[in-house]
PDB file of all heavy atoms in Angstrom:
ATOM      1  N   GLN A 155     254.251 152.959 107.971  1.00 95.00           N
ATOM      2  CA  GLN A 155     255.307 152.083 108.496  1.00 95.00           C
ATOM      3  C   GLN A 155     255.038 150.581 108.186  1.00 95.00           C
ATOM      4  O   GLN A 155     255.821 149.728 108.537  1.00 95.00           O
ATOM      5  CB  GLN A 155     255.499 152.313 110.010  1.00 95.00           C
ATOM      6  CG  GLN A 155     255.969 153.714 110.356  1.00 95.00           C
ATOM      7  CD  GLN A 155     255.794 154.092 111.789  1.00 95.00           C
ATOM      8  OE1 GLN A 155     255.282 153.323 112.603  1.00 95.00           O
ATOM      9  NE2 GLN A 155     256.207 155.296 112.143  1.00 95.00           N
ATOM     10  N   LYS A 156     253.831 150.337 107.650  1.00 96.00           N
ATOM     11  CA  LYS A 156     253.380 148.978 107.290  1.00 96.00           C
ATOM     12  C   LYS A 156     253.374 148.013 108.536  1.00 96.00           C
ATOM     13  O   LYS A 156     253.632 146.860 108.412  1.00 96.00           O
ATOM     14  CB  LYS A 156     254.264 148.400 106.189  1.00 96.00           C
ATOM     15  CG  LYS A 156     254.295 149.235 104.961  1.00 96.00           C
ATOM     16  CD  LYS A 156     255.224 148.630 103.877  1.00 96.00           C
ATOM     17  CE  LYS A 156     255.206 149.548 102.677  1.00 96.00           C
ATOM     18  NZ  LYS A 156     256.034 148.960 101.571  1.00 96.00           N
ATOM     19  N   LYS A 157     253.011 148.645 109.674  1.00 97.00           N
ATOM     20  CA  LYS A 157     253.050 147.881 110.947  1.00 97.00           C
ATOM     21  C   LYS A 157     251.990 148.393 111.898  1.00 97.00           C
ATOM     22  O   LYS A 157     251.904 149.581 112.171  1.00 97.00           O
ATOM     23  CB  LYS A 157     254.442 147.963 111.570  1.00 97.00           C
ATOM     24  CG  LYS A 157     254.633 147.129 112.809  1.00 97.00           C
ATOM     25  CD  LYS A 157     254.684 145.654 112.465  1.00 97.00           C
ATOM     26  CE  LYS A 157     254.991 144.789 113.718  1.00 97.00           C
ATOM     27  NZ  LYS A 157     254.935 143.377 113.382  1.00 97.00           N
ATOM     28  N   CYS A 158     251.176 147.507 112.420  1.00 97.00           N
ATOM     29  CA  CYS A 158     250.201 147.840 113.465  1.00 97.00           C
ATOM     30  C   CYS A 158     250.899 147.788 114.814  1.00 97.00           C
ATOM     31  O   CYS A 158     251.158 146.738 115.387  1.00 97.00           O
ATOM     32  CB  CYS A 158     249.028 146.870 113.465  1.00 97.00           C
ATOM     33  SG  CYS A 158     247.746 147.184 114.678  1.00 97.00           S
ATOM     34  N   LYS A 159     251.255 148.983 115.350  1.00 96.00           N
ATOM     35  CA  LYS A 159     252.054 149.032 116.545  1.00 96.00           C
ATOM     36  C   LYS A 159     251.175 149.090 117.812  1.00 96.00           C
ATOM     37  O   LYS A 159     251.435 149.919 118.712  1.00 96.00           O
ATOM     38  CB  LYS A 159     253.014 150.231 116.474  1.00 96.00           C
ATOM     39  CG  LYS A 159     253.989 150.112 115.294  1.00 96.00           C
ATOM     40  CD  LYS A 159     255.084 151.148 115.333  1.00 96.00           C
ATOM     41  CE  LYS A 159     256.090 150.882 114.286  1.00 96.00           C
ATOM     42  NZ  LYS A 159     257.251 151.867 114.325  1.00 96.00           N
ATOM     43  N   THR A 160     250.235 148.183 117.903  1.00 96.00           N
ATOM     44  CA  THR A 160     249.388 148.127 119.091  1.00 96.00           C
ATOM     45  C   THR A 160     250.150 147.582 120.283  1.00 96.00           C
ATOM     46  O   THR A 160     251.051 146.753 120.129  1.00 96.00           O
ATOM     47  CB  THR A 160     248.173 147.233 118.807  1.00 96.00           C
ATOM     48  OG1 THR A 160     247.348 147.201 119.994  1.00 96.00           O
ATOM     49  CG2 THR A 160     248.572 145.798 118.396  1.00 96.00           C
ATOM     50  N   LYS A 161     249.738 148.028 121.462  1.00 94.00           N
ATOM     51  CA  LYS A 161     250.343 147.529 122.689  1.00 94.00           C
ATOM     52  C   LYS A 161     249.501 146.391 123.282  1.00 94.00           C
ATOM     53  O   LYS A 161     249.906 145.764 124.252  1.00 94.00           O
ATOM     54  CB  LYS A 161     250.469 148.635 123.739  1.00 94.00           C
ATOM     55  CG  LYS A 161     251.470 149.729 123.316  1.00 94.00           C
ATOM     56  CD  LYS A 161     251.560 150.831 124.357  1.00 94.00           C
ATOM     57  CE  LYS A 161     252.590 151.907 123.936  1.00 94.00           C
ATOM     58  NZ  LYS A 161     252.663 153.006 124.933  1.00 94.00           N
ATOM     59  N   MET A 162     248.339 146.134 122.687  1.00 94.00           N
ATOM     60  CA  MET A 162     247.505 145.058 123.143  1.00 94.00           C
ATOM     61  C   MET A 162     248.201 143.689 122.855  1.00 94.00           C
ATOM     62  O   MET A 162     248.757 143.521 121.773  1.00 94.00           O
ATOM     63  CB  MET A 162     246.123 145.107 122.503  1.00 94.00           C
ATOM     64  CG  MET A 162     245.133 144.108 123.102  1.00 94.00           C
ATOM     65  SD  MET A 162     243.475 144.276 122.442  1.00 94.00           S
ATOM     66  CE  MET A 162     243.671 143.449 120.881  1.00 94.00           C
ATOM     67  N   GLN A 163     248.138 142.775 123.799  1.00 93.00           N
ATOM     68  CA  GLN A 163     248.766 141.481 123.610  1.00 93.00           C
ATOM     69  C   GLN A 163     247.774 140.441 123.126  1.00 93.00           C
ATOM     70  O   GLN A 163     246.620 140.443 123.520  1.00 93.00           O
ATOM     71  CB  GLN A 163     249.358 141.021 124.991  1.00 93.00           C
ATOM     72  CG  GLN A 163     250.467 141.907 125.485  1.00 93.00           C
ATOM     73  CD  GLN A 163     251.627 141.986 124.551  1.00 93.00           C
ATOM     74  OE1 GLN A 163     252.131 140.964 124.072  1.00 93.00           O
ATOM     75  NE2 GLN A 163     252.050 143.203 124.285  1.00 93.00           N
ATOM     76  N   PRO A 164     248.205 139.536 122.217  1.00 92.00           N
ATOM     77  CA  PRO A 164     247.306 138.497 121.726  1.00 92.00           C
ATOM     78  C   PRO A 164     247.042 137.462 122.803  1.00 92.00           C
ATOM     79  O   PRO A 164     247.881 137.164 123.664  1.00 92.00           O
ATOM     80  CB  PRO A 164     248.065 137.930 120.579  1.00 92.00           C
ATOM     81  CG  PRO A 164     249.517 138.194 120.880  1.00 92.00           C
ATOM     82  CD  PRO A 164     249.536 139.523 121.599  1.00 92.00           C
ATOM     83  N   ASP A 165     245.839 136.914 122.761  1.00 92.00           N
ATOM     84  CA  ASP A 165     245.491 135.801 123.657  1.00 92.00           C
ATOM     85  C   ASP A 165     244.459 134.955 122.903  1.00 92.00           C
ATOM     86  O   ASP A 165     244.138 135.228 121.756  1.00 92.00           O
ATOM     87  CB  ASP A 165     245.004 136.244 125.033  1.00 92.00           C
ATOM     88  CG  ASP A 165     243.836 137.218 124.925  1.00 92.00           C
ATOM     89  OD1 ASP A 165     242.975 137.038 124.035  1.00 92.00           O
ATOM     90  OD2 ASP A 165     243.696 138.155 125.752  1.00 92.00           O
ATOM     91  N   GLU A 166     243.880 133.974 123.616  1.00 92.00           N
ATOM     92  CA  GLU A 166     242.927 133.087 122.923  1.00 92.00           C
ATOM     93  C   GLU A 166     241.687 133.819 122.471  1.00 92.00           C
ATOM     94  O   GLU A 166     241.027 133.386 121.493  1.00 92.00           O
ATOM     95  CB  GLU A 166     242.541 131.935 123.846  1.00 92.00           C
ATOM     96  CG  GLU A 166     243.666 130.893 124.048  1.00 92.00           C
ATOM     97  CD  GLU A 166     244.133 130.312 122.733  1.00 92.00           C
ATOM     98  OE1 GLU A 166     243.256 129.940 121.901  1.00 92.00           O
ATOM     99  OE2 GLU A 166     245.330 130.220 122.505  1.00 92.00           O
ATOM    100  N   SER A 167     241.324 134.900 123.116  1.00 91.00           N
ATOM    101  CA  SER A 167     240.081 135.614 122.781  1.00 91.00           C
ATOM    102  C   SER A 167     240.256 136.502 121.521  1.00 91.00           C
ATOM    103  O   SER A 167     239.252 136.927 120.972  1.00 91.00           O
ATOM    104  CB  SER A 167     239.596 136.478 123.964  1.00 91.00           C
ATOM    105  OG  SER A 167     240.546 137.517 124.244  1.00 91.00           O
TER     106      SER A 167
END
Side-chain angles (χ1 to χ4, degrees):
Q155 296 164 1
K156 303 180 181 182
K157 185 70 175 177
C158 179
K159 297 190 173 182
T160 180
K161 294 181 180 179
M162 189 174 77
Q163 297 300 310
D165 55 35
E166 287 303 315
S167 67

